Amino acid sequence: MPVDKDNVSTASGEASVSSSGNQTKPATKKKRNLPGMPDPEAEVIALSPKTLLATNRFVCEICSKGFQRDQNLQLHRRGHNLPWKLRQRSSKEVRKRVYVCPELTCVHHDPSRALGDLTGIKKHFCRKHGEKKWKCDKCSKKYAVQSDWKAHSKVCGTREYKCDCGTVFSRRDSFITHRAFCDALAEESARSQTVVKANSENDSKVLAGDSPPTPTTSVMSSGLQTQNLELPENNPPQVIEEAQAVTALSGSCGSNSSSTCSTSNGGATCNSSSVFASLFASSTASGTLQSQTPAFSDLIRAMGVPDHPADISGPSSSEAISLRLSTTAASPIFATGGQERRQYAMPPQLQPAMSATALLQKAAQMGAAATNASLLRGFGIVSSSSALASSGQQDGVQWGQQQVESESGSVPAGLGLGLPCDGGSGLKELMMGTPSMFGPKHTTLDFLGLGMAAGGTAGGGLSALITSIGGGLDVTAAAAAAAAAAAFGNGEFSGKDIGRSS
Amino acid sequence: MNWERKGIRLVHLLKHCAKLTESGNYFDADIALYRLSSLASPDGDSLQRVATHFSEALACCQVAKNLRGVPKVLRLVKTLSTPEQQLVKQLFFDFYPFLNIAYTITNRTIIEAMEGETTINVLDLSPSSGAVQWIRLMQGLKERFPNTPCLKITVTAIHEKKEVLEQMGLHLGVEAERLHFHFQFNPVVSSLESLDPETLPIKKGEPLAISCVLQLHSLLATDDDNAKQNMKKVNPSPDSALSPFSPCPSRKMDCFLYGLWKLQPKVMVITEQESNVNGSSLTQRVDRALNFYGALFDCLEASISRTLVWRTLFEKMLLGEEIKNIVACEGVERKERHEKLETWIPRLELAGFRRVPISSNGIWLATRMLQNYVPGYNIRQENKCLFIYWKEIPLFSVSAWKF
């Protein structure tokens, strides 16, 4: 890029010929210094904000027309048909110029951290210290530099990641994090399961009266009739699976009625059981019946995902809740007999909660293997070290705030040695300062990006801490974990763009 | 459908966390725990509750693997005082039918075995529920043998805390007097591990009944590292302390059982949890314990209101503590080493005991008793032993033995 001679602190309109428009690229490619680490021989230019932001810095001396670019000015000057003598610009050797940010608090205000490109420093100044005047109309994202805004609006809405659950993401990392925990995965497999189960459920009639057309009332009435706790002595009741199911419903009222009738429990009358029964009868949804029965007679295979999930909701459960006898509230528990036990006998929750047993078995069927990777996938955690390398590289961009850019390449390598070589001060603080290793709140929070002060080093420090204490901790695992931690921190909040604009 | 997905996700996450913890992948396990903390809840449904306690246990496990002082202090905080222990044991008795059934069957079996005797000795290795069991036994004896004059009953009870034994002796004495029995109470303040059966004040030659309810497995607690080393020499079996063919599965247990056998009991009734959480692999333990305690939490969910404070207390102070012991403790500290009956049988037979059938009267009584509880509990007799089920999941086993 040709050097702009004009941009010395006094904006002079010196029209020096730099033959920029006609200049061909030099044979050797221009050497580029690392950003933020300028050539020590370069000339440092400090511009005032006004000068920096001024447009039309190049002014034609003939007609005083202002141009934003020197090239444009030269092109314009050609049109003036200048005599040959004045056409050429003085071609003195120019030194490389670097620019400092006029903002005092900025790190690039220091000449040793100056930026080498004028356009770059202008953009930096606007981005960091300027107000965001440009807004994307699609997604309401704001930008201070017009070119940024233009670039974004080209991309906005074009590249989208869509999760199975319907949520749309523009960023890959937030998409991946979401997908790891998205319930859609489980639902899909659950759906495929229920397709199978629905067939088997129809076949194996676990309950008497399982089929939907059975009116609720008839089951209830038969249930109430069969509930007869005073069983004849010579007929020891065998535990019957089917009867159990019927008593599942009536048993609850049965036990209720027995408890309320037989225990002298301050006023809870036998009427309550009939009210309860009538509630059951009146509850319209046969789905309620069905939803309850799976919870009860839910045997290992017949995984009753209720056919009418919509029916299992507020109305019936709230009725049951209101009916819930207050006997359980403050009942004394110390008793040698079995009486108080009955006070605990509760009408079962009418919420559609599946039993823990059923969920455990279902989860075992679904197999952990498929979901193991996805459980923590969003954090870039894969147990093999080769994946570490790839994820480390890939996450390198997201890892760094801008000040960590230079270290992003070195941190994984540093961790590979067991201790991060860079950022040593942060590490030492962690080693000495933190009393307990697990869950020092600030570092844990840092993992999650709540205080992104030293996200990278915090992770590195903690892993080194654990390495020193835990002994046999695999270093690659620690590195993977630290990478994961930082990526996790970024991934979790990437939507809010903490990583980008600090 | 949402809760089902969440539930399955929760289960997978728990097992995954266990795997990570076992493999030493602490960061990932920590992340899993973080996620678990938002999915699990001590006030939610049964799976959420059991997941809360398992998550806590896994967190303790993780801490215990790296630090020494922290887990000790944490355990110190959670130590229950004697009244608290009694409270939760009482709650266990109230909430579940298991103890009730165990006592009924034990008593019936003892009564039948003691037919015609005038002096009865009882050795109680697990007197945690107070005097309830033996009061019932005395009542049962009176009922069964109303004409036997001056039945003499001696109860020897082993417990670590003196005050528990004192209370028990008091209650038993009152009841015995009411029923006109000759009664003698021998309290022995000792833990089971340090007990030498030969030193017990039991008269040889008199009929003896032994009862041990959910306590015997604590003797399986060994210093696992040593046991593993010894076993590797002979037979690399995947599960520790399970194959009866290994030379020293549990020395303590074998000695104790042999000591009991030498007392020549007429009948011994053992009630134990029917689950195998005595493995050395953490993931295996978590897996099996999840099934077992999931069922226990389900029983509570089906019978007791979620808002009842005693229920949460009980879950926290008893079930949660057991879970923590299974998951987070190692070596001698891990007392909750449940094993299935199929592994108890060879052990007891090795010590010399022979199996006797359970009292069918007792089974019938127990079945009737179950009607007072929420439906879902079953009793089944298999292989001359009794199993108590919750919805097809065997939870407890009762077996009877004799000298």
Side-chain angles (χ1 to χ4, degrees):
Chain A
M1 205 172 300
V3 177
D4 295 319
K5 262 189 149 13
D6 294 337
N7 294 324
V8 190
S9 16
T10 60
S12 61
E14 203 179 272
S16 39
V17 178
S18 68
S19 66
S20 47
N22 309 327
Q23 188 183 29
T24 54
K25 272 223 180 275
T28 57
K29 213 155 176 221
K30 195 142 194 158
K31 184 183 82 164
R32 268 198 142 184
N33 279 320
L34 289 171
M37 305 222 291
D39 186 356
E41 302 253 316
E43 181 184 355
V44 180
I45 313 273
L47 300 168
S48 71
K50 189 160 155 233
T51 322
L52 198 55
L53 292 174
T55 55
N56 299 350
R57 286 177 294 108
F58 303 92
V59 184
C60 175
E61 69 268 22
I62 300 170
C63 62
S64 301
K65 186 168 165 138
F67 293 91
Q68 287 197 357
R69 283 193 178 157
D70 186 49
Q71 295 98 309
N72 302 347
L73 173 63
Q74 299 312 315
L75 274 170
H76 159 83
R77 281 177 74 247
R78 273 203 256 158
H80 283 310
N81 295 325
L82 288 173
W84 184 88
K85 242 193 285 183
L86 298 172
R87 191 179 285 179
Q88 292 203 313
R89 281 180 154 177
S90 57
S91 55
K92 63 171 186 187
E93 190 74 23
V94 279
R95 269 170 69 190
K96 173 109 174 84
R97 291 205 180 154
V98 291
Y99 304 87
V100 290
C101 180
E103 174 68 32
L104 282 164
T105 58
C106 186
V107 73
H108 292 291
H109 186 71
D110 181 14
S112 63
R113 301 289 310 271
L115 299 173
D117 185 53
L118 179 66
T119 323
I121 194 84
K122 284 162 83 172
K123 288 199 179 166
H124 155 83
F125 185 71
C126 290
R127 275 197 207 112
K128 289 280 182 67
H129 314 297
E131 123 191 34
K132 300 189 176 170
K133 299 184 213 144
W134 306 94
K135 179 178 166 304
C136 170
D137 42 17
K138 277 189 224 161
C139 70
S140 77
K141 209 162 163 198
K142 288 196 153 187
Y143 294 91
V145 182
Q146 189 187 14
S147 53
D148 291 346
W149 170 76
K150 271 196 190 164
H152 164 81
S153 32
K154 273 194 207 166
V155 190
C156 188
T158 51
R159 182 95 187 268
E160 284 181 352
Y161 302 88
K162 190 164 173 204
C163 179
D164 295 325
C165 67
T167 324
V168 177
F169 297 88
S170 61
R171 284 183 62 137
R172 180 153 192 260
D173 48 359
S174 42
F175 166 59
I176 289 183
T177 311
H178 163 87
R179 200 168 51 149
F181 287 121
C182 184
D183 299 332
L185 282 175
E187 183 187 12
E188 228 188 86
S189 16
R191 225 180 273 137
S192 60
Q193 295 272 338
T194 51
V195 168
V196 175
K197 296 270 168 27
N199 298 334
S200 63
E201 215 182 63
N202 289 333
D203 297 338
S204 64
K205 295 279 175 112
V206 180
L207 309 171
D210 188 21
S211 46
T214 310
T216 321
T217 46
S218 73
V219 176
M220 272 321 300
S221 53
S222 66
L224 279 175
Q225 282 165 8
T226 59
Q227 68 94 16
N228 183 7
L229 293 193
E230 307 311 314
L231 288 162
E233 289 229 344
N234 53 358
N235 226 356
Q238 310 296 321
V239 183
I240 312 168
E241 316 289 307
E242 293 96 303
Q244 172 191 345
V246 177
T247 56
L249 267 179
S250 57
S252 52
C253 347
S255 61
N256 248 343
S257 65
S258 75
S259 67
T260 52
C261 292
S262 55
T263 60
S264 57
N265 199 6
T269 61
C270 292
N271 288 336
S272 56
S273 66
S274 54
V275 173
F276 194 73
S278 63
L279 255 185
F280 258 113
S282 63
S283 73
T284 52
S286 61
T288 316
L289 176 60
Q290 283 187 326
S291 72
Q292 200 184 354
T293 47
F296 264 98
S297 64
D298 179 7
L299 308 181
I300 306 171
R301 281 104 219 152
M303 224 37 71
V305 175
D307 294 337
H308 309 288
D311 294 337
I312 315 156
S313 52
S316 47
S317 55
S318 61
E319 286 169 343
I321 288 171
S322 63
L323 182 59
R324 196 160 294 162
L325 306 175
S326 57
T327 54
T328 56
S331 47
I333 58 155
F334 290 98
T336 49
Q339 297 168 345
E340 276 68 18
R341 199 188 325 113
R342 295 212 201 106
Q343 288 180 354
Y344 302 134
M346 275 286 316
Q349 324 283 351
L350 283 188
Q351 301 149 26
M354 276 177 91
S355 66
T357 315
L359 283 168
L360 279 166
Q361 282 156 351
K362 202 160 190 193
Q365 284 168 11
M366 286 174 59
T371 49
N372 257 354
S374 72
L375 278 171
L376 298 172
R377 202 196 305 147
F379 313 127
I381 297 171
V382 187
S383 41
S384 65
S385 50
S386 59
L388 159 68
S390 59
S391 69
Q393 293 311 314
Q394 174 189 353
D395 290 334
V397 174
Q398 294 149 359
W399 191 330
Q401 284 93 16
Q402 290 175 2
Q403 58 260 31
V404 198
E405 280 164 8
S406 55
E407 300 166 9
S408 62
S410 64
V411 174
L415 282 178
L417 295 174
L419 276 180
C421 38
D422 208 1
S425 57
L427 167 62
K428 284 201 189 75
E429 267 171 44
L430 277 167
M431 296 269 278
M432 260 136 9
T434 9
S436 76
M437 179 183 64
F438 280 102
K441 278 231 161 82
H442 46 283
T443 45
T444 312
L445 287 179
D446 277 340
F447 277 11
L448 311 169
L450 290 181
M452 282 301 253
T457 42
L462 208 51
S463 77
L465 189 66
I466 294 182
T467 312
S468 64
I469 292 184
L473 186 63
D474 188 18
V475 174
T476 50
F488 171 35
N490 277 310
E492 179 96 13
F493 292 86
S494 61
K496 304 199 174 62
D497 228 13
I498 291 183
R500 293 244 161 200
S501 56
S502 57
Chain B
M1 286 283 271
N2 204 14
W3 39 260
E4 187 185 322
R5 285 198 310 248
K6 275 198 179 152
I8 295 179
R9 174 78 35 173
L10 185 53
V11 172
H12 283 149
L13 203 52
L14 266 177
K15 299 195 178 173
H16 192 49
C17 182
K19 195 155 44 154
L20 293 170
T21 309
E22 188 177 17
S23 63
N25 199 343
Y26 303 122
F27 267 100
D28 298 355
D30 190 56
I31 294 173
L33 281 175
Y34 186 84
R35 181 65 183 158
L36 278 168
S37 70
S38 57
L39 286 176
S41 150
D43 303 319
D45 65 28
S46 51
L47 181 66
Q48 281 179 308
R49 288 176 185 229
V50 73
T52 315
H53 295 105
F54 269 90
S55 309
E56 187 194 4
L58 284 169
C60 289
C61 185
Q62 212 174 343
V63 171
K65 285 200 175 197
N66 289 306
L67 306 172
R68 291 262 172 82
V70 171
K72 271 203 177 291
V73 170
L74 289 180
R75 217 168 302 143
L76 193 65
V77 170
K78 290 296 184 86
T79 314
L80 296 177
S81 67
T82 311
E84 285 174 321
Q85 278 176 9
Q86 293 301 99
L87 171 63
V88 290
K89 294 278 166 60
Q90 182 65 38
L91 288 174
F92 186 66
F93 180 82
D94 285 337
F95 285 164
Y96 294 120
F98 308 129
L99 283 187
N100 232 339
I101 295 176
Y103 292 160
T104 306
I105 294 197
T106 309
N107 290 346
R108 283 288 133 191
T109 312
I110 293 178
I111 291 176
E112 283 177 12
M114 295 294 176
E115 178 112 27
E117 304 284 350
T118 50
T119 310
I120 296 178
N121 285 304
V122 171
L123 174 58
D124 186 1
L125 297 173
S126 52
S128 343
S129 302
V132 135
Q133 184 176 4
W134 309 120
I135 290 179
R136 285 205 201 153
L137 176 69
M138 289 198 268
Q139 290 169 347
L141 282 170
K142 191 69 177 186
E143 226 180 276
R144 183 68 179 259
F145 314 124
N147 303 320
T148 314
C150 295
L151 201 55
K152 174 149 191 283
I153 300 184
T154 313
V155 174
T156 312
I158 324 277
H159 199 272
E160 284 180 355
K161 302 279 173 179
K162 193 163 72 125
E163 44 274 24
V164 171
L165 293 173
E166 281 173 357
Q167 257 204 345
M168 186 174 167
L170 219 69
H171 289 143
L172 286 178
V174 163
E175 187 69 17
E177 202 175 304
R178 192 177 72 88
L179 296 172
H180 307 299
F181 285 149
H182 271 186
F183 175 69
Q184 186 182 336
F185 185 65
N186 295 332
V188 177
V189 182
S190 156
S191 70
L192 268 192
E193 288 87 12
S194 45
L195 183 72
D196 182 8
E198 298 203 23
T199 62
L200 287 172
I202 296 184
K203 296 202 191 110
K204 290 272 166 78
E206 288 187 357
L208 171 67
I210 305 182
S211 158
C212 190
V213 176
L214 304 182
Q215 201 66 24
L216 201 55
H217 53 255
S218 61
L219 287 167
L220 288 173
T222 65
D223 196 355
D224 282 314
D225 294 325
N226 284 340
K228 249 191 261 184
Q229 277 173 17
N230 289 335
M231 282 189 25
K232 267 185 193 150
K233 290 179 200 159
V234 182
N235 202 8
S237 55
D239 244 306
S240 69
L242 273 197
S243 71
F245 308 104
S246 60
C248 50
S250 173
R251 171 140 290 171
K252 222 193 304 185
M253 173 63 75
D254 295 336
C255 292
F256 187 77
L257 287 177
Y258 184 55
L260 287 182
W261 182 83
K262 283 204 283 197
L263 293 175
Q264 303 179 355
K266 254 193 136 175
V267 66
M268 176 168 81
V269 186
I270 310 256
T271 308
E272 273 294 319
Q273 286 96 338
E274 179 69 6
S275 119
N276 183 5
V277 293
N278 194 11
S280 44
S281 148
L282 179 69
T283 33
Q284 219 179 42
R285 294 210 300 265
V286 167
D287 211 26
R288 295 171 180 172
L290 259 179
N291 290 330
F292 183 76
Y293 286 97
L296 283 184
F297 273 79
D298 275 345
C299 299
L300 288 180
E301 177 79 0
S303 50
I304 297 171
S305 157
R306 280 191 200 170
T307 51
L308 187 65
V309 69
W310 302 115
R311 171 179 166 190
T312 325
L313 217 76
F314 170 74
E315 287 172 352
K316 225 190 295 195
M317 298 201 325
L318 193 128
L319 297 180
E321 291 300 308
E322 282 184 8
I323 291 172
K324 258 195 280 204
N325 191 273
I326 292 176
V327 173
C329 293
E330 288 297 336
V332 196
E333 288 175 343
R334 174 149 55 98
K335 303 272 168 101
E336 300 293 332
R337 293 188 184 238
H338 312 157
E339 281 190 4
K340 295 206 172 193
L341 190 61
E342 65 200 14
T343 44
W344 282 112
I345 290 179
R347 257 205 202 100
L348 287 158
E349 286 178 348
L350 203 66
F353 288 98
R354 283 177 291 142
R355 210 129 45 100
V356 289
I358 309 262
S359 150
S360 46
N361 201 12
I363 296 179
W364 183 77
L365 272 177
T367 316
R368 265 197 72 180
M369 201 182 284
L370 278 185
Q371 288 166 18
N372 294 335
Y373 291 88
V374 148
Y377 295 107
N378 278 351
I379 304 188
R380 284 191 207 154
Q381 208 182 8
E382 287 164 28
N383 198 9
K384 284 205 279 183
C385 306
L386 194 79
F387 291 89
I388 310 177
Y389 284 72
W390 166 260
K391 303 214 169 148
E392 299 303 307
I393 300 198
L395 291 179
F396 294 91
S397 69
V398 186
S399 54
W401 305 82
K402 72 184 260 189
F403 154 74

